[in-house]
Amino acid sequence: AVPGLGCPRVQGRPVCVWPGRLRLDLDGAGGRFALAVHSDRETSLRLPGTAQIWPQDVRVDGRAVPVFGKDGAPRVRLTPGRHQVSGRFAWSRLPESLALPSSIGLVELILDGRPVARPRREKGGLLWLRARTDEGLGEGEHIRLQVFRHIADGIPLFVETRLQLEVSGRAREVTFPAALLPDSAPVAVSGDLPARVEDGTLRVQVRGGRYAVRVLARVEGRPEALERPPASPSEGTGAEWPEREVWVFAANEELRQVELSGAAAIDPSRTELPDEWTTLPAFLLEPESRLAMATVRRGQPEAAPDACLFYTSDAADDN
């Protein structure tokens, strides 16, 4: 089997395991953890802990499973599908920190029976327990979102939606109902953050920083226009869909010539479009507006035969 075959790619690498929220209930004697996870194929799941802090009594869907080590980290095997993973820790004194997989973006931490509002995590996933347990005090939870769409004409027609996110505040999951255009089907999801499409909604596990997430979709049929979805409020703290989107259109002259209408043209240099899109015609799409595509002709125009070409020259004037 080819590792990662058929799995979405994040930062260029295949991701086959999608952790949900990790719940940690810890105190000075140990504690328990619980994690919801979805696996796209049979693979291994890295657990919280290290060789020194080894998880015990680990269960998957209520059944005891063996834990093995790889690169100093505890792991269990998973079959494809959704699972509930649980286990416990035992120690004589609460450690200063606990190693967590960096792929886990959502952490619910309870220390000595009291919830920690903003658990402090390092970039590599390390979770602080006895020091600096609160992260981002006074920092608001906000997402600055820009949306760009690349329409590639063809049969079928493909739309790549690119989300540029600037995130502040705690790690959390945010949903974007307007990421897909109507009558389109997702083909691939990639980018800098764990993300997936479920029931037509893009779900992204965000954390502080600047990121890009890409969704490639196929549009069914041969549409004469593409409609922008309403700017629906996103489910998640501080995420608002922008009032305006910027679209670019990549024509396929071998297929047809298209006349575009219904949206205001805009100078690409006045936008923050990805560099590789700035040479294409750009349009500004308001909520519930549409980009109409009228076919002027199909196929490439036929060149006139040489016998039908006319030339003028001085010699011709003398005759």
Side-chain angles (χ1 to χ4, degrees):
V2 179
L5 181 64
C7 298
R9 304 184 74 85
V10 177
Q11 295 180 322
R13 296 181 298 177
V15 177
C16 302
V17 177
W18 300 88
R21 184 181 301 274
L22 171 65
R23 188 177 192 272
L24 292 164
D25 191 346
L26 309 175
D27 56 31
R32 305 197 65 85
F33 69 87
L35 173 67
V37 62
H38 176 88
S39 178
D40 289 328
R41 59 177 297 169
E42 184 174 347
T43 186
S44 67
L45 169 70
R46 181 181 169 184
L47 299 175
T50 61
Q52 292 73 36
I53 305 176
W54 195 259
Q56 302 177 24
D57 192 24
V58 176
R59 296 175 178 270
V60 175
D61 300 326
R63 300 180 62 181
V65 295
V67 179
F68 64 95
K70 182 179 180 181
D71 300 326
R75 291 178 176 268
V76 294
R77 299 295 303 180
L78 290 181
T79 57
R82 297 181 180 273
H83 303 284
Q84 294 291 329
V85 181
S86 63
R88 65 181 180 88
F89 294 106
W91 45 59
S92 58
R93 181 172 181 264
L94 184 71
E96 289 189 357
S97 61
L98 180 65
L100 302 183
S102 58
S103 59
I104 295 179
L106 306 176
V107 178
E108 177 186 355
L109 176 61
I110 300 173
L111 289 178
D112 296 321
R114 302 177 64 180
V116 178
R118 295 187 177 93
R120 171 74 183 189
R121 293 185 66 186
E122 301 294 341
K123 187 175 181 180
L126 190 70
L127 173 69
W128 290 93
L129 301 178
R130 289 200 294 115
R132 304 162 68 193
T133 54
D134 283 342
E135 163 180 70
L137 290 175
E139 181 183 21
E141 293 176 353
H142 178 71
I143 295 179
R144 179 177 180 261
L145 174 65
Q146 296 186 88
V147 178
F148 308 103
R149 302 193 199 257
H150 177 283
I151 299 134
D153 196 17
I155 302 175
L157 185 147
F158 284 91
V159 178
E160 179 184 331
T161 300
R162 189 170 300 191
L163 279 63
Q164 302 281 7
L165 303 103
E166 296 182 18
V167 185
S168 62
R170 63 184 176 89
R172 57 203 185 271
E173 182 174 84
V174 182
T175 62
F176 297 109
L180 291 175
L181 297 187
D183 301 319
S184 66
V187 175
V189 181
S190 61
D192 304 323
L193 294 168
R196 64 190 299 113
V197 175
E198 291 183 355
D199 300 324
T201 295
L202 177 66
R203 309 179 73 89
V204 184
Q205 294 185 8
V206 303
R207 57 183 183 273
R210 302 182 64 174
Y211 310 97
V213 175
R214 295 173 288 276
V215 181
L216 180 64
R218 180 185 68 253
V219 180
E220 307 294 346
R222 298 185 180 182
E224 296 181 353
L226 295 175
E227 296 186 3
R228 184 197 147 166
S232 304
S234 303
E235 297 179 11
T237 307
E240 295 295 335
W241 197 263
E243 283 295 313
R244 295 178 174 181
E245 299 178 6
V246 179
W247 294 15
V248 298
F249 186 86
N252 185 344
E253 294 293 340
E254 295 184 358
L255 175 68
R256 61 174 178 167
Q257 182 179 348
V258 175
E259 181 178 321
L260 303 174
S261 62
I266 186 172
D267 182 358
S269 65
R270 297 175 57 190
T271 71
E272 296 184 53
L273 277 166
D275 292 340
E276 62 270 27
W277 295 359
T278 54
T279 59
L280 298 172
F283 302 89
L284 202 61
L285 274 290
E286 304 283 349
E288 300 185 55
S289 58
R290 66 204 304 260
L291 182 65
M293 301 171 291
T295 301
V296 177
R297 62 163 176 79
R298 294 196 177 276
Q300 291 183 329
E302 295 183 2
D306 293 345
C308 296
L309 295 178
F310 295 90
Y311 299 89
T312 59
S313 66
D314 294 338
D317 293 337
D318 294 337
N319 293 329

